[in-house]
Amino acid sequence: MDLAYLRAHPEHLPTFLTHQRIRETPVAGGDICAASRLTLDDGHSVFAKTWPETAAGPAPEGFFAAEAAGLRWLREAGTVAVPEVIVALPGLLALEWVDPGEPTPEAAERFGRELAALHRAGAPAFGADWTGFVGSLPQDNRPDEGPWSRWFARRRLLPHLRRVVDGGGLTGVEATLVEQVVERIGEFGGDEPPARIHGDLWPGNALWGAEGRVWLVDPAAHGGHRETDLAQLALFGGVPHLDRILAAYAQEWPLADGWRERVPLHQLHLLLVHAALFGGAYRDAVARTARSALAGLGRATVDW
């Protein structure tokens, strides 16, 4: 099997893997799926993701299709680097292989400009035309005209808050803090038309390539607020050269007044997702971020 054959007959890939007709090398691939590098007969490689055999059940319906739709939608903007979708099947996703490289200031500045261009490509509404997932969790992507603040509260914060509380990941005190943020969501300002965003852009989903570009992987793509992507880049230690990314982004498309104070608001969504997926380890982070968001209404300074 070579790359041309794979593109023409993607449905044959599982059979070739089952019969060990393709060299398969396990690689790091995140917290949800099993990942491997597939080396084809013509020397090309592809990156493959499958639902792990150790999982309690099968992949959620539409899981890989949603990721494929998001990747294609981001890629069609022709701005930031996004891997080509080569195979999208119910139990498997195969993408263009990206050779990893080292973070550099030059790549960061290019990424900042390209990310601004991606966001400017826009979206017809908040949400998307495909089933939504973030990690392995379902996410309501039904298109919504907004405004953004109301949509974000109803479709992003509250559903994941309920999921975390039901799973015992938050106490009443932390849940009340998040509820206060939701109640005051209209006070934060910054409402904008929907941007074309990655939607799960923590630093692990920004892949530094060997050719000096940053690639977007593992998206939860949808029409959302551009500040969400930028705020998520600062989570979990922050992406390398974040200051260069932000400066280059601002040169292309300056952010609205008050964006720094809204950083915790945008980060709260992904922290609730992590609390739902991984439990009480994120309890303190959710509470701290909700407090910071509320403090931001008093124009408190947020340190990156």
Side-chain angles (χ1 to χ4, degrees):
M1 175 179 278
D2 59 20
L3 187 58
Y5 182 92
L6 183 59
R7 285 195 173 108
H9 305 281
E11 70 279 3
H12 292 176
L13 181 56
T15 301
F16 276 75
L17 289 173
T18 299
H19 294 286
Q20 300 181 339
R21 297 283 301 277
I22 298 176
R23 190 171 72 190
E24 185 175 8
T25 307
V27 296
D31 299 310
I32 305 299
C33 293
S36 59
R37 179 176 185 171
L38 307 182
T39 304
L40 307 179
D41 291 339
D42 60 0
H44 283 99
S45 292
V46 297
F47 175 82
K49 298 173 66 170
T50 57
W51 195 251
E53 295 180 358
T54 55
E61 184 177 355
F63 178 77
F64 288 113
E67 182 173 346
L71 286 166
R72 288 169 174 143
W73 186 61
L74 296 176
R75 184 179 169 90
E76 75 180 17
T79 54
V80 70
V82 179
E84 176 193 356
V85 176
I86 298 171
V87 178
L89 300 173
L92 183 152
L93 186 67
L95 310 174
E96 172 185 2
W97 178 262
V98 177
D99 287 319
E102 295 298 321
T104 66
E106 294 77 16
E109 291 172 2
R110 180 174 181 176
F111 178 52
R113 293 190 296 270
E114 291 177 341
L115 188 61
L118 173 70
H119 291 164
R120 274 185 182 261
F126 296 104
D129 291 332
W130 52 84
T131 301
F133 288 92
V134 57
S136 59
L137 298 178
Q139 189 157 257
D140 189 348
N141 262 0
R142 286 174 296 172
D144 191 305
E145 295 301 316
W148 170 81
S149 53
R150 184 183 64 191
W151 169 84
F152 191 65
R154 293 181 178 178
R155 301 289 179 86
R156 293 298 183 259
L157 296 183
L158 284 175
H160 293 300
L161 174 62
R162 287 193 289 267
R163 189 171 282 117
V164 178
V165 170
D166 291 345
L170 294 179
T171 69
V173 173
E174 293 105 17
T176 297
L177 283 169
V178 178
E179 289 168 349
Q180 290 174 356
V181 172
V182 170
E183 290 170 0
R184 302 184 65 182
I185 194 89
E187 299 177 37
F188 286 90
D191 277 330
E192 292 185 349
R196 186 173 305 213
I197 72 169
H198 178 284
D200 188 10
L201 197 52
W202 68 284
N205 286 341
L207 175 60
W208 299 80
E211 81 299 346
R213 296 186 78 184
V214 178
W215 294 69
L216 296 185
V217 297
D218 293 344
H222 61 274
H225 201 302
R226 60 193 179 116
E227 291 176 12
T228 298
D229 274 354
L230 297 174
Q232 290 174 349
L233 283 171
L235 283 169
F236 313 131
V239 73
H241 307 298
L242 179 58
D243 57 337
R244 297 288 190 101
I245 294 171
L246 293 172
Y249 186 104
Q251 288 179 351
E252 294 296 318
W253 192 8
L255 292 162
D257 290 344
W259 69 269
R260 289 185 179 274
E261 288 74 35
R262 289 188 292 272
V263 167
L265 171 64
H266 289 277
Q267 291 178 337
L268 190 56
H269 165 237
L270 203 53
L271 289 171
L272 286 169
V273 168
H274 277 71
L277 286 170
F278 306 115
Y282 287 90
R283 178 179 296 159
D284 290 344
V286 168
R288 183 172 59 251
T289 303
R291 288 192 181 97
S292 295
L294 293 168
L297 293 176
R299 319 310 291 176
T301 299
V302 175
D303 293 328
W304 286 87

Coordinates of all heavy atoms in Angstrom, one line a residue, residues 120-191:
R120 N -10.0 35.2 11.2 CA -10.6 36.2 10.3 C -11.5 35.4 9.3 O -12.4 36.0 8.7 CB -9.6 37.1 9.6 CG -9.2 38.3 10.4 CD -8.3 39.2 9.6 NE -7.9 40.4 10.3 CZ -8.4 41.6 10.2 NH1 -9.5 41.7 9.4 NH2 -8.0 42.6 10.9
A121 N -11.1 34.2 9.0 CA -11.9 33.4 8.0 C -13.4 33.3 8.4 O -14.3 33.1 7.6 CB -11.3 32.1 7.7
G122 N -13.6 33.3 9.7 CA -15.0 33.4 10.2 C -15.8 32.1 10.1 O -15.3 31.1 9.7
A123 N -17.0 32.2 10.6 CA -17.9 31.1 10.6 C -19.3 31.6 10.5 O -19.6 32.8 10.9 CB -17.8 30.3 12.0
P124 N -20.2 30.9 9.9 CA -21.6 31.4 9.7 C -22.4 31.6 11.0 O -23.3 32.3 11.0 CB -22.2 30.3 8.8 CG -21.4 29.1 9.0 CD -20.0 29.5 9.3
A125 N -22.0 30.9 12.0 CA -22.7 31.0 13.3 C -21.8 30.4 14.4 O -20.7 29.8 14.1 CB -24.0 30.2 13.3
F126 N -22.2 30.6 15.7 CA -21.5 29.9 16.7 C -21.9 28.5 16.7 O -23.0 28.1 16.4 CB -21.8 30.6 18.1 CG -21.4 32.0 18.2 CD1 -22.3 33.0 18.1 CD2 -20.0 32.2 18.4 CE1 -21.8 34.3 18.2 CE2 -19.6 33.6 18.5 CZ -20.5 34.6 18.4
G127 N -20.9 27.6 17.0 CA -21.1 26.2 16.8 C -20.7 25.7 15.4 O -19.8 26.3 14.8
A128 N -21.2 24.6 15.0 CA -20.8 24.0 13.7 C -21.8 23.1 13.1 O -22.8 22.8 13.8 CB -19.5 23.2 13.9
D129 N -21.6 22.6 11.9 CA -22.6 21.8 11.2 C -22.3 20.3 11.5 O -22.9 19.5 10.8 CB -22.6 22.1 9.7 CG -23.1 23.4 9.4 OD1 -24.0 23.9 10.1 OD2 -22.7 24.0 8.4
W130 N -21.4 20.0 12.4 CA -21.2 18.6 12.7 C -21.3 18.3 14.2 O -21.2 19.3 15.0 CB -19.8 18.2 12.2 CG -18.7 19.1 12.6 CD1 -18.0 19.0 13.8 CD2 -18.2 20.2 11.9 NE1 -17.1 20.0 13.9 CE2 -17.2 20.8 12.7 CE3 -18.4 20.8 10.7 CZ2 -16.4 21.9 12.3 CZ3 -17.7 21.9 10.3 CH2 -16.7 22.4 11.1
T131 N -21.4 17.1 14.6 CA -21.5 16.7 16.0 C -20.2 17.2 16.7 O -19.1 17.1 16.1 CB -21.6 15.2 16.1 OG1 -22.8 14.8 15.4 CG2 -21.7 14.8 17.6
G132 N -20.4 17.7 17.9 CA -19.2 18.3 18.6 C -18.7 17.3 19.6 O -19.4 16.6 20.3
F133 N -17.3 17.3 19.7 CA -16.6 16.6 20.8 C -15.5 17.5 21.3 O -14.9 18.2 20.5 CB -16.1 15.3 20.4 CG -17.1 14.2 20.2 CD1 -17.7 14.0 18.9 CD2 -17.5 13.4 21.2 CE1 -18.6 13.0 18.7 CE2 -18.5 12.4 21.0 CZ -19.0 12.2 19.7
V134 N -15.2 17.4 22.6 CA -13.9 18.0 23.1 C -13.3 16.9 24.0 O -13.9 16.5 24.9 CB -14.2 19.3 23.9 CG1 -15.2 19.2 25.0 CG2 -12.9 19.9 24.3
G135 N -12.1 16.5 23.6 CA -11.6 15.2 24.1 C -12.6 14.1 23.7 O -13.0 14.0 22.6
S136 N -13.0 13.3 24.7 CA -14.0 12.3 24.4 C -15.4 12.7 24.8 O -16.4 11.9 24.7 CB -13.6 11.0 25.1 OG -13.6 11.2 26.5
L137 N -15.6 13.9 25.2 CA -16.9 14.4 25.7 C -17.7 15.0 24.6 O -17.2 15.8 23.8 CB -16.7 15.4 26.8 CG -16.0 15.0 28.1 CD1 -15.8 16.1 29.1 CD2 -16.7 13.8 28.8
P138 N -19.0 14.8 24.6 CA -19.9 15.4 23.6 C -20.0 16.9 23.9 O -19.9 17.4 25.1 CB -21.2 14.8 23.8 CG -21.2 14.2 25.2 CD -19.8 13.9 25.5
Q139 N -20.1 17.7 22.9 CA -20.2 19.1 23.0 C -21.3 19.7 22.0 O -21.2 19.3 20.8 CB -18.9 19.8 22.7 CG -18.8 21.3 23.1 CD -17.4 21.7 23.3 OE1 -17.0 21.9 24.5 NE2 -16.5 21.8 22.3
D140 N -22.2 20.5 22.5 CA -23.3 20.9 21.7 C -22.9 21.9 20.7 O -22.5 23.0 21.0 CB -24.4 21.6 22.6 CG -25.7 21.9 21.9 OD1 -25.7 21.8 20.7 OD2 -26.6 22.2 22.6
N141 N -22.9 21.5 19.4 CA -22.4 22.3 18.3 C -23.6 22.9 17.5 O -23.3 23.5 16.4 CB -21.5 21.5 17.4 CG -20.1 21.7 17.6 OD1 -19.7 22.5 18.5 ND2 -19.2 21.1 16.9
R142 N -24.8 22.8 17.9 CA -25.9 23.3 17.1 C -25.7 24.8 16.8 O -25.4 25.6 17.7 CB -27.2 23.1 17.9 CG -27.8 21.7 17.9 CD -29.0 21.6 18.8 NE -28.7 21.9 20.2 CZ -29.6 22.1 21.2 NH1 -30.9 22.0 20.9 NH2 -29.2 22.4 22.4
P143 N -25.7 25.1 15.5 CA -25.5 26.5 15.2 C -26.4 27.5 15.9 O -27.6 27.2 16.2 CB -25.8 26.6 13.7 CG -25.5 25.2 13.2 CD -26.0 24.3 14.4
D144 N -25.8 28.6 16.4 CA -26.5 29.6 17.2 C -26.1 31.0 16.8 O -24.9 31.2 16.5 CB -26.1 29.3 18.7 CG -27.0 30.1 19.6 OD1 -27.1 31.4 19.5 OD2 -27.6 29.5 20.6
E145 N -27.0 31.9 16.6 CA -26.7 33.3 16.2 C -26.1 34.1 17.3 O -25.6 35.2 17.0 CB -27.9 33.9 15.7 CG -28.5 33.3 14.4 CD -27.5 33.3 13.3 OE1 -26.8 34.3 13.1 OE2 -27.3 32.2 12.6
G146 N -26.1 33.6 18.5 CA -25.4 34.4 19.6 C -26.4 35.4 20.3 O -27.6 35.2 20.2
P147 N -25.9 36.3 21.0 CA -24.5 36.8 21.1 C -23.6 35.7 21.7 O -24.0 34.8 22.4 CB -24.6 38.1 21.9 CG -25.7 37.9 22.8 CD -26.7 37.1 22.0
W148 N -22.3 36.0 21.5 CA -21.3 35.0 22.0 C -21.4 34.7 23.5 O -21.4 33.5 23.9 CB -19.9 35.5 21.7 CG -18.9 34.6 22.4 CD1 -18.4 33.4 21.9 CD2 -18.3 34.8 23.7 NE1 -17.6 32.8 22.9 CE2 -17.4 33.7 23.9 CE3 -18.3 35.8 24.6 CZ2 -16.7 33.6 25.1 CZ3 -17.6 35.7 25.8 CH2 -16.8 34.6 26.0
S149 N -21.6 35.7 24.3 CA -21.6 35.5 25.7 C -22.7 34.6 26.2 O -22.5 33.6 27.0 CB -21.7 36.9 26.5 OG -22.8 37.6 26.0
R150 N -23.9 34.8 25.6 CA -25.0 33.9 26.0 C -24.7 32.5 25.5 O -25.0 31.5 26.2 CB -26.3 34.5 25.4 CG -27.5 33.7 25.8 CD -28.8 34.2 25.1 NE -28.7 34.1 23.7 CZ -29.5 34.7 22.8 NH1 -30.5 35.5 23.3 NH2 -29.4 34.5 21.5
W151 N -24.3 32.4 24.2 CA -24.0 31.0 23.7 C -22.9 30.3 24.5 O -23.0 29.1 24.8 CB -23.5 31.2 22.2 CG -22.9 30.0 21.6 CD1 -23.6 28.9 21.0 CD2 -21.5 29.6 21.6 NE1 -22.7 28.0 20.6 CE2 -21.5 28.3 21.0 CE3 -20.4 30.2 22.0 CZ2 -20.3 27.7 20.8 CZ3 -19.2 29.6 21.8 CH2 -19.1 28.3 21.2
F152 N -21.9 31.0 24.9 CA -20.8 30.4 25.6 C -21.2 29.9 27.0 O -20.9 28.8 27.4 CB -19.7 31.5 25.8 CG -18.4 30.9 26.3 CD1 -17.6 30.0 25.6 CD2 -17.9 31.3 27.6 CE1 -16.4 29.6 26.1 CE2 -16.7 30.8 28.1 CZ -15.9 30.0 27.3
A153 N -22.1 30.7 27.6 CA -22.6 30.2 28.9 C -23.5 29.0 28.8 O -23.3 28.0 29.5 CB -23.4 31.3 29.6
R154 N -24.4 29.0 27.8 CA -25.4 27.9 27.6 C -24.8 26.7 27.0 O -25.2 25.5 27.4 CB -26.6 28.4 26.8 CG -27.4 29.5 27.4 CD -28.5 29.9 26.5 NE -29.4 30.9 27.1 CZ -30.4 31.4 26.5 NH1 -30.7 31.1 25.3 NH2 -31.2 32.3 27.1
R155 N -23.9 26.8 26.0 CA -23.4 25.7 25.2 C -22.1 25.2 25.6 O -21.7 24.1 25.2 CB -23.4 26.0 23.8 CG -24.8 26.5 23.2 CD -25.8 25.3 23.1 NE -27.1 25.7 22.6 CZ -27.4 25.8 21.3 NH1 -26.5 25.5 20.4 NH2 -28.6 26.2 21.0
R156 N -21.3 25.9 26.4 CA -20.0 25.5 26.8 C -19.8 25.4 28.3 O -19.3 24.4 28.8 CB -18.9 26.5 26.2 CG -18.8 26.4 24.6 CD -18.4 25.1 24.2 NE -18.3 25.0 22.7 CZ -19.2 24.4 21.9 NH1 -20.3 23.9 22.4 NH2 -18.9 24.3 20.6
L157 N -20.1 26.4 29.1 CA -19.8 26.4 30.5 C -20.8 25.5 31.3 O -20.4 24.6 32.0 CB -19.8 27.8 31.1 CG -18.7 28.8 30.5 CD1 -18.8 30.1 31.3 CD2 -17.4 28.2 30.7
L158 N -22.1 25.8 31.1 CA -23.1 25.1 31.9 C -23.2 23.6 31.7 O -23.2 22.8 32.6 CB -24.5 25.7 31.7 CG -24.7 27.0 32.4 CD1 -26.1 27.6 32.1 CD2 -24.6 26.9 34.0
P159 N -23.1 23.1 30.4 CA -23.2 21.6 30.2 C -22.0 20.9 30.9 O -22.2 19.9 31.5 CB -23.1 21.5 28.7 CG -23.7 22.8 28.2 CD -23.2 23.8 29.1
H160 N -20.8 21.5 30.8 CA -19.6 20.8 31.4 C -19.7 21.0 32.9 O -19.2 20.1 33.7 CB -18.4 21.3 30.8 CG -18.2 20.9 29.4 ND1 -18.1 19.6 29.0 CD2 -18.1 21.7 28.2 CE1 -18.0 19.6 27.6 NE2 -18.0 20.8 27.2
L161 N -20.2 22.1 33.4 CA -20.3 22.3 34.9 C -21.2 21.2 35.4 O -20.9 20.5 36.4 CB -20.9 23.7 35.2 CG -21.2 23.9 36.7 CD1 -20.0 23.8 37.5 CD2 -21.9 25.3 36.8
R162 N -22.4 21.0 34.8 CA -23.3 19.9 35.2 C -22.6 18.5 35.2 O -22.8 17.7 36.1 CB -24.6 19.9 34.4 CG -25.5 21.1 34.6 CD -26.8 20.9 34.0 NE -26.8 21.0 32.6 CZ -27.0 22.1 31.9 NH1 -27.3 23.2 32.5 NH2 -26.9 22.1 30.6
R163 N -21.8 18.3 34.2 CA -21.2 17.0 34.0 C -20.2 16.8 35.2 O -20.1 15.7 35.8 CB -20.5 17.0 32.7 CG -19.9 15.6 32.3 CD -19.5 15.6 30.9 NE -20.6 15.5 29.9 CZ -20.9 16.4 29.0 NH1 -20.2 17.5 28.9 NH2 -22.0 16.2 28.2
V164 N -19.4 17.9 35.5 CA -18.4 17.7 36.6 C -19.1 17.6 37.9 O -18.7 16.7 38.7 CB -17.5 19.0 36.6 CG1 -16.5 18.9 37.8 CG2 -16.7 19.1 35.3
V165 N -20.1 18.3 38.2 CA -20.9 18.2 39.5 C -21.5 16.8 39.6 O -21.4 16.2 40.7 CB -21.9 19.3 39.6 CG1 -22.8 19.1 40.8 CG2 -21.3 20.7 39.7
D166 N -22.1 16.4 38.6 CA -22.7 15.0 38.6 C -21.7 13.9 38.9 O -22.0 12.9 39.5 CB -23.5 14.7 37.3 CG -24.7 15.6 37.1 OD1 -25.1 16.2 38.1 OD2 -25.2 15.6 36.0
G167 N -20.5 14.2 38.4 CA -19.4 13.2 38.6 C -18.6 13.4 39.9 O -17.7 12.6 40.1
G168 N -19.0 14.3 40.7 CA -18.4 14.6 42.0 C -17.0 15.3 41.9 O -16.3 15.3 42.8
G169 N -16.8 15.9 40.7 CA -15.5 16.6 40.6 C -15.4 18.0 41.2 O -14.3 18.5 41.3
L170 N -16.5 18.5 41.6 CA -16.5 19.9 42.2 C -17.4 19.8 43.4 O -18.4 19.1 43.4 CB -17.0 20.9 41.2 CG -16.2 21.3 40.0 CD1 -16.9 22.4 39.2 CD2 -14.8 21.8 40.4
T171 N -17.1 20.6 44.4 CA -18.0 20.8 45.5 C -19.0 21.9 45.2 O -18.9 22.6 44.2 CB -17.2 21.1 46.8 OG1 -16.6 22.5 46.7 CG2 -16.1 20.1 47.1
G172 N -19.9 22.1 46.2 CA -20.9 23.2 46.0 C -20.2 24.6 45.9 O -20.7 25.5 45.2
V173 N -19.1 24.8 46.6 CA -18.4 26.1 46.6 C -17.9 26.4 45.3 O -18.1 27.5 44.7 CB -17.3 26.1 47.7 CG1 -16.5 27.4 47.6 CG2 -17.9 25.9 49.1
E174 N -17.2 25.4 44.6 CA -16.6 25.7 43.3 C -17.7 25.8 42.3 O -17.6 26.7 41.4 CB -15.6 24.6 42.9 CG -14.4 24.5 43.8 CD -14.4 23.3 44.7 OE1 -15.3 22.4 44.6 OE2 -13.6 23.3 45.7
A175 N -18.7 25.0 42.4 CA -19.8 25.1 41.4 C -20.5 26.5 41.5 O -20.9 27.1 40.5 CB -20.8 24.0 41.6
T176 N -20.6 27.0 42.7 CA -21.3 28.3 42.9 C -20.4 29.4 42.2 O -21.0 30.4 41.6 CB -21.5 28.6 44.4 OG1 -22.3 27.7 44.9 CG2 -22.0 30.0 44.6
L177 N -19.1 29.3 42.3 CA -18.2 30.3 41.7 C -18.5 30.3 40.2 O -18.6 31.4 39.5 CB -16.8 30.0 42.0 CG -16.3 30.4 43.4 CD1 -14.9 29.7 43.6 CD2 -16.2 31.9 43.5
V178 N -18.5 29.1 39.6 CA -18.7 29.0 38.1 C -20.1 29.6 37.8 O -20.3 30.3 36.8 CB -18.6 27.6 37.6 CG1 -18.9 27.5 36.1 CG2 -17.2 27.1 37.9
E179 N -21.1 29.3 38.6 CA -22.5 29.8 38.3 C -22.5 31.3 38.4 O -23.2 32.0 37.6 CB -23.4 29.2 39.4 CG -23.7 27.7 39.1 CD -24.5 27.1 40.3 OE1 -24.6 27.7 41.3 OE2 -24.9 25.9 40.1
Q180 N -21.7 31.9 39.3 CA -21.6 33.4 39.4 C -21.0 33.9 38.1 O -21.5 35.0 37.6 CB -20.8 33.8 40.6 CG -21.5 33.5 41.9 CD -20.6 33.8 43.1 OE1 -19.4 34.2 42.9 NE2 -21.1 33.7 44.3
V181 N -20.0 33.3 37.5 CA -19.5 33.7 36.3 C -20.5 33.7 35.2 O -20.7 34.6 34.4 CB -18.3 32.8 35.9 CG1 -17.8 33.2 34.4 CG2 -17.1 33.0 36.8
V182 N -21.3 32.6 35.1 CA -22.4 32.5 34.1 C -23.4 33.6 34.3 O -23.9 34.2 33.3 CB -23.0 31.1 34.2 CG1 -24.3 31.0 33.4 CG2 -22.0 30.0 33.8
E183 N -23.8 33.8 35.5 CA -24.8 34.8 35.8 C -24.4 36.2 35.4 O -25.2 37.1 35.0 CB -25.1 34.9 37.3 CG -25.9 33.6 37.8 CD -26.0 33.5 39.3 OE1 -25.5 34.5 39.9 OE2 -26.6 32.6 39.8
R184 N -23.0 36.5 35.4 CA -22.5 37.8 35.1 C -21.9 37.8 33.7 O -21.1 38.8 33.4 CB -21.5 38.2 36.2 CG -22.1 38.3 37.6 CD -21.2 38.8 38.6 NE -20.8 40.2 38.3 CZ -19.9 40.9 39.1 NH1 -19.3 40.3 40.1 NH2 -19.7 42.2 38.8
I185 N -22.1 36.8 32.9 CA -21.4 36.7 31.6 C -21.6 37.9 30.7 O -20.6 38.3 30.0 CB -21.9 35.4 30.9 CG1 -20.9 35.0 29.7 CG2 -23.3 35.5 30.4 CD1 -19.8 34.2 30.1
G186 N -22.7 38.6 30.8 CA -22.9 39.7 30.0 C -22.1 40.9 30.3 O -22.0 41.9 29.6
E187 N -21.5 40.9 31.5 CA -20.7 42.1 32.0 C -19.3 42.0 31.5 O -18.6 43.0 31.6 CB -20.7 42.1 33.6 CG -22.1 42.2 34.2 CD -22.0 42.2 35.7 OE1 -21.0 42.7 36.3 OE2 -22.9 41.6 36.3
F188 N -18.8 40.9 30.9 CA -17.4 40.8 30.5 C -17.1 41.6 29.3 O -16.0 41.9 29.0 CB -17.1 39.3 30.4 CG -16.9 38.6 31.7 CD1 -18.0 37.9 32.2 CD2 -15.7 38.5 32.3 CE1 -17.9 37.2 33.4 CE2 -15.6 37.9 33.5 CZ -16.7 37.2 34.1
G189 N -18.1 41.8 28.4 CA -17.9 42.5 27.2 C -17.1 41.6 26.2 O -17.0 40.4 26.4
G190 N -16.7 42.3 25.1 CA -15.9 41.6 24.2 C -16.7 40.7 23.2 O -16.1 40.0 22.4
D191 N -18.0 40.9 23.1 CA -18.8 40.1 22.1 C -18.3 40.4 20.7 O -18.1 41.6 20.4 CB -20.2 40.4 22.3 CG -20.9 39.5 23.4 OD1 -20.4 38.4 23.6 OD2 -21.9 40.0 24.0

